Amino acid sequence: MVGSIFLQRKIVQKERREKVQKAKKIISILFIALLIIAGIFLIVSYKGQKQVIDDRKDETKENIAIVEELESLFNEGVHNKDNKNAKKIDFLKFSQELLKRLNEKYNTDKIVAYLDTGKEGIQEIVAFNSNSDFYDRRNINGDYDFSGTVFLYKENEGLDDPYLNLFGHSMKDKTRLGKLLDYQTDLDLIKNAKLYTEFGTYEYELTHIIHTNSVWYDKYPTWEKDGFLEFIADSKSEGKVQKELYPLNEEAKYMLLNTCFDDLGDEKLIAVYELKTIKK
């Protein structure tokens, strides 16, 4: 009788051990499966992100090619010293034709300018919508795009305003306005800027780099003269100016490139440019 009870206990214990081992195997298999799924997800996600970045860079290269093609076309015969009838570049026509071609490429009419700080610098289309936030996370055709599109602020009535405000994200792949964050090491890439507009080619020179937070910056209507001058003065007095290449000229016109300094957008970097000439 005692032997029978002992045998039954051993059988029960064996069954329990087998169940535990089976459960452990199932858990191990599930864990491995989860790791595989997570790995596949990370690979797909990485490839997807890489593809987005590659597409963005390809888009920039295509736009640069359009600019270079036009430059070649408009430069024909310009530098021929032996030709007394050599033509001069029609910068107004050049800018207008560039905007026309860019808008045709994207099948839109929302591109109002093209920003170019030179080779390896910022080379981006500039859009406008009466709702400035529209292009914050959208491409030029209105589809979702985390990098958004560089855009002219809604408070600016047009590109002939004396204080232009352009906004764009600072992407880690250095597209959009990402090159601004490299001002300490690659300042030469952003020192000069051209803005191709319907009014001609605006040529700018960098004067100030300002680092501040969004809440502080939002107090200033920098699209108005008084707000702009106060912003510069307060930035200097509060130690927010990181670089001052040239002193402020109160009679000049300016362009501000606004971008995020951190991932959350709480910190701002503003590059201030003085308008030096308009080529028509």
Side-chain angles (χ1 to χ4, degrees), residues 155-164 202 204 223 253-254:
E155 295 294 346
N156 282 124
E157 295 182 2
L159 287 160
D160 53 346
D161 276 7
Y163 303 98
L164 297 179
Y202 291 19
Y204 291 90
W223 55 92
K253 296 182 178 181
Y254 284 87

Side-chain angles (χ1 to χ4, degrees), residues 118-158:
K119 188 177 181 181
E120 305 300 328
I122 300 168
Q123 293 164 306
E124 295 286 340
I125 57 174
V126 179
F128 178 75
N129 188 288
S130 56
N131 172 12
S132 279
D133 292 335
F134 182 82
Y135 287 112
D136 185 57
R137 294 296 182 190
R138 288 186 177 93
N139 63 22
I140 190 62
N141 296 121
D143 301 319
Y144 177 78
D145 184 344
F146 184 74
S147 69
T149 305
V150 177
F151 61 88
L152 176 67
Y153 191 51
K154 64 181 178 182
E155 295 294 346
N156 282 124
E157 295 182 2

